[in-house]
Amino acid sequence: MLMPTNNRRNLILVTIDAWRADFVATHAGVPLCPALSAIDDRTVRFDHFYANGPWTTPPLVSIFTGQSPAQHQAFYEWSAPREGGPGLAARLAQAGYAVPNLCYLNRVGGYQNLGYDPTTSPGYPRGPEDDTLIAAMREHRNRREPFFLWYHYKFVHLPYWAKEPYRRQMGIDEGAIPERLRESVCTGFVVPRQQAHLLPEDRELVQRLYAAGVLEMNDFLYRVLEELCRGDLLERTSLVLTADHGEELLDHGHVGHASTAHHAILNEEVLRVPLLIADGRVKGPRTVATRVQGMDLFSTMLSLAGVGASQSENENGDAGVGVCEGGVAPVDLSPVVLDEGSPLPAEDRVFYFHSARMGYLTPRSQEGQVIEAISDGRTKYIAEQYEVPRELRYDLVNDPEEQNPLVAQDEEMASARARLAEVRAALLGQFGSV
């Protein structure tokens, strides 16, 4: 079991649904997240943080377990992490933390065995004004035991239809919105690629509609950060702000992500997401450019909270932080957060990504239709196993937006295919198939 140290800290994890890394600062000249200025001098930003999958469950379970989707295999509506495996909420509860259940997702099978009782999960949030997290912060801020609060903000997700003041700030003329967008991105929680016919010229307006949702989310962050900065709570708390996955905004011909598009892709726009860690021990704003990934956050948050794994867990790797051959192991980022001079993770670490074809909505008839990718930051190899299998390779240095797949010789594809198999085997070899 985990044992508390003498310096336990509160921990708050806020995950934003479908928030892209390039929609944090500004869009079309409009500041999107000015609320973050309240914690700038205590924040470390990671500019190249990658979700381990393109829809909600797999990357969030990776955060909560320190495991790759290849290991936890919670990538269908009917699958869940194994019983007795690592779970962030369970570990912190064992260490004496208050771990209230604030997230509606914990009712879903994919989130079982992480430390929450599904029968205590709240209902779907009422809207962007939902105050569940703020109420919990107020309830627990003066209690003796430390707390772990996880809240999932839903409303950057489709449909892209923020309230009118936010649309107005983004310069959106409601009367000029084409009917094809009104009937899809403006109203649909799901916009299947096979049914919605969007045009390249829609991209600017789609991005403005999406940015209006980020502006609305900023007001939610403002309320949360106002509570965090009241009194000495920030000095006793580590805040991790990130996203479950990104969002395609006509970057490759469509919008959304695996579950909403009914067609998973593994391009940068759905994988690269924001990561900001605010901590009272951080002095001065700092940005880290080195690539990091979602499964790094399990050990990072435990360390920031002052809760360490026992010797037996360190030895057997059950907590997801053991050494894994192939350079694919998660990394504890807390030294980087707390000490500017700490060594950075290797830039060429291999990241593995996975998705079922339709994400959460994948039917059992399509079980086995998956997409996988590996990337070392310089190149990416993507293997689709749909009706017609397809392989793609990208040069991320010279083609960061992945618009021009490399024309590869057969032996190059064979080498990339073999490397994917090696990475998958290395991950499964460390933890075992679920």
Side-chain angles (χ1 to χ4, degrees):
M1 64 177 291
L2 294 176
M3 299 300 294
T5 71
N6 293 327
N7 298 304
R8 296 183 301 170
R9 296 173 60 80
N10 303 314
L11 184 63
I12 299 175
L13 171 64
V14 178
T15 52
I16 308 297
D17 206 309
W19 188 23
R20 286 173 54 137
D22 54 348
F23 280 75
V24 177
T26 64
H27 184 74
V30 179
L32 295 179
C33 296
L36 296 175
S37 63
I39 54 171
D40 261 351
D41 62 348
R42 292 290 185 268
T43 298
V44 178
R45 301 180 183 225
F46 291 83
D47 266 1
H48 292 84
F49 177 69
Y50 286 85
N52 290 110
W55 64 283
T56 299
T57 299
L60 287 185
V61 174
S62 288
I63 289 173
F64 268 79
T65 63
Q67 294 184 343
S68 162
Q71 297 157 343
H72 64 63
Q73 296 192 6
F75 40 65
Y76 295 109
E77 179 273 333
W78 59 86
S79 56
R82 64 183 171 88
E83 188 174 357
L88 181 64
R91 295 294 196 260
L92 290 168
Q94 291 170 11
Y97 276 64
V99 185
N101 191 345
L102 309 181
C103 185
Y104 67 98
L105 290 171
N106 289 318
R107 297 175 296 171
V108 180
Y111 299 84
Q112 305 311 297
N113 305 321
L114 300 178
Y116 292 105
D117 178 355
T119 65
T120 66
S121 298
Y124 198 88
R126 297 184 298 275
E129 300 82 12
D130 183 86
D131 64 354
T132 298
L133 174 58
I134 296 169
M137 292 169 68
R138 290 172 178 167
E139 178 183 353
H140 291 276
R141 66 181 299 138
N142 293 319
R143 293 191 177 185
R144 181 175 179 180
E145 72 273 23
F147 60 75
F148 170 54
L149 308 178
W150 171 41
Y151 184 82
H152 187 67
Y153 179 90
K154 184 65 176 174
F155 301 100
V156 174
H157 190 286
L158 279 162
Y160 310 145
W161 198 247
K163 292 183 176 63
E164 191 277 334
Y166 306 102
R167 302 198 307 270
R168 185 173 65 248
Q169 287 182 65
M170 290 308 309
I172 296 169
D173 179 358
E174 187 171 340
I177 299 175
E179 194 63 24
R180 62 181 173 274
L181 295 187
R182 291 181 181 276
E183 294 178 350
S184 58
V185 301
C186 295
T187 55
F189 186 82
V190 173
V191 181
R193 180 180 288 266
Q194 300 84 354
Q195 298 174 20
H197 301 289
L198 308 179
L199 303 177
E201 54 263 36
D202 295 329
R203 186 178 182 189
E204 180 182 356
L205 181 51
V206 166
Q207 291 192 341
R208 286 178 181 265
L209 288 163
Y210 173 86
V214 178
L215 275 177
E216 190 168 36
M217 182 269 291
N218 176 71
D219 279 1
F220 161 78
L221 289 181
Y222 177 83
R223 297 191 300 274
V224 171
L225 297 179
E226 183 179 44
E227 184 66 27
L228 181 64
C229 293
R230 187 165 63 86
D232 67 344
L233 186 58
L234 177 57
E235 298 304 315
R236 300 182 284 115
T237 303
S238 299
L239 167 69
V240 177
L241 173 62
T242 188
D244 51 358
H245 54 77
E247 191 84 335
E248 183 183 0
L249 300 173
L250 288 171
D251 305 79
H252 288 89
H254 197 58
V255 298
H257 52 276
S259 300
T260 62
H262 287 186
H263 185 97
I265 64 172
L266 292 176
N267 296 104
E268 294 289 284
E269 63 268 17
V270 296
L271 298 175
R272 187 178 165 207
V273 298
L275 173 61
L276 300 91
I277 300 180
D279 189 294
R281 295 166 292 183
V282 172
K283 305 303 180 185
R286 186 153 40 91
T287 299
V288 176
T290 301
R291 296 164 58 249
V292 295
Q293 60 179 328
M295 55 195 280
D296 294 334
L297 287 181
F298 176 81
S299 55
T300 299
M301 287 190 283
L302 286 177
S303 294
L304 289 174
V307 176
S310 70
Q311 182 177 359
S312 62
E313 285 179 319
N314 279 330
E315 288 173 349
N316 65 28
D318 187 51
V321 295
V323 175
C324 183
E325 71 177 273
V328 292
V331 172
D332 180 352
L333 303 174
S334 64
V336 178
V337 173
L338 299 177
D339 182 357
E340 187 173 2
S342 291
L344 297 172
E347 182 60 40
D348 60 351
R349 280 197 299 159
V350 177
F351 293 172
Y352 170 88
F353 310 100
H354 179 285
S355 180
R357 179 174 183 168
M358 293 171 58
Y360 184 76
L361 297 175
T362 301
R364 286 189 179 269
S365 62
Q366 290 189 10
E367 184 176 4
Q369 291 198 27
V370 301
I371 183 171
E372 297 174 284
I374 53 172
S375 173
D376 62 3
R378 299 185 302 271
T379 61
K380 182 189 290 181
Y381 168 71
I382 302 173
E384 290 181 359
Q385 299 296 328
Y386 300 160
E387 290 99 337
V388 179
R390 184 172 67 147
E391 296 174 292
L392 299 165
R393 290 180 68 242
Y394 289 101
D395 178 349
L396 299 177
V397 176
N398 296 306
D399 180 24
E401 295 184 355
E402 299 170 301
Q403 296 300 312
N404 301 294
L406 294 171
V407 178
Q409 302 298 320
D410 289 345
E411 59 269 22
E412 292 175 317
M413 279 298 189
S415 176
R417 194 180 310 126
R419 181 59 175 144
L420 172 61
E422 290 173 0
V423 169
R424 188 193 309 115
L427 289 165
L428 291 174
Q430 178 71 13
F431 296 97
S433 179
V434 179

